[in-house]
């Protein structure tokens, strides 16, 4: 087995000024360091419309070009890291929409949740975990919850120092990424 596992990073936040993307960029470096390829799937860039397929995802029928492209991207992954903020004690609508487009492409895929917020995004992570478990992803039981502190944001509500923010959780993130890469590698060997 020579192929490096392909690990997707799904950026759940689509706001113009967001924490999600710089955090995802830092996670990408950890994935590369763990011997896998990081595949950035930024929902702000992908711009999936609200689910507009006639057939339910479990049917396996994908009609629209954006659905087919999204399905191919997820199918090609060996594992996924979901990066999510906490919006009103839940995860973003754009992320739910992206998940709901597909079914069998997700099933059995090693996955993990990295959440952030003033309480580490715990409520969002719990909600997302319930959905991913229902669908049948092989979800890492721990995840990583990254809590903001006073002073993390500048006056334009940008994360002042993404590297420093990530550094506070670096050991947990590294361990999480290593678990996802190991599970993805095992799935590659079994395939
Ligand atoms: C619609 C919305 C709802 C929010 N609700 C919460 C919340 O329930 N808990 C929390 O800790 N932060 C909440 N926040 C603050 C976010 O944690 C903070 O804005 C964070 O930067 C959002 O992630 P993002 O920048 O990647 O979009 C909320 C922010 C937005 C935009």
């Amino acid at each position: 087995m020579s192929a490096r596992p392909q690990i997707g990073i799904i950026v759940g936040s689509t706001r113009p000024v967001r924490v999600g993307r710089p955090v995802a960029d830092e996670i990408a470096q950890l994935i590369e360091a763990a011997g896998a390829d990081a595949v950035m799937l930024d929902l702000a860039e992908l711009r999936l419309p609200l689910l507009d397929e006639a057939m339910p995802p479990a049917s396996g029928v994908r009609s629209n070009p954006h659905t087919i492209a999204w399905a191919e991207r997820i199918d090609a992954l060996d594992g996924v890291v979901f990066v999510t903020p906490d919006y009103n004690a839940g995860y973003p609508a754009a992320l739910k929409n992206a998940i709901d487009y597909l079914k069998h492409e997700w099933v059995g895929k090693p996955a993990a949740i990295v959440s952030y917020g003033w309480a580490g995004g715990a409520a969002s992570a719990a909600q997302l975990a319930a959905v991913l478990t229902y669908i049948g992803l092989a979800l890492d039981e721990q995840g990583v919850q990254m809590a903001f502190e006073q002073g993390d944001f500048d006056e334009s509500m940008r994360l002042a120092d993404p590297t420093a923010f990530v550094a506070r959780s670096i050991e947990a993130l590294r361990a999480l990424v290593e678990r996802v890469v190991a599970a993805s590698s095992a799935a590659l060997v079994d395939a």
Side-chain angles (χ1 to χ4, degrees), residues 13 15 17-20 85-89 116-119 148 153:
S13 169
R15 301 186 313 123
V17 174
R18 59 209 167 118
V19 168
D86 198 342
Y87 288 171
N88 296 312
Y116 50 89
W118 292 101
F148 297 138
F153 294 93

Side-chain angles (χ1 to χ4, degrees), residues 53 106 156:
E53 286 287 327
W106 296 122
S156 63

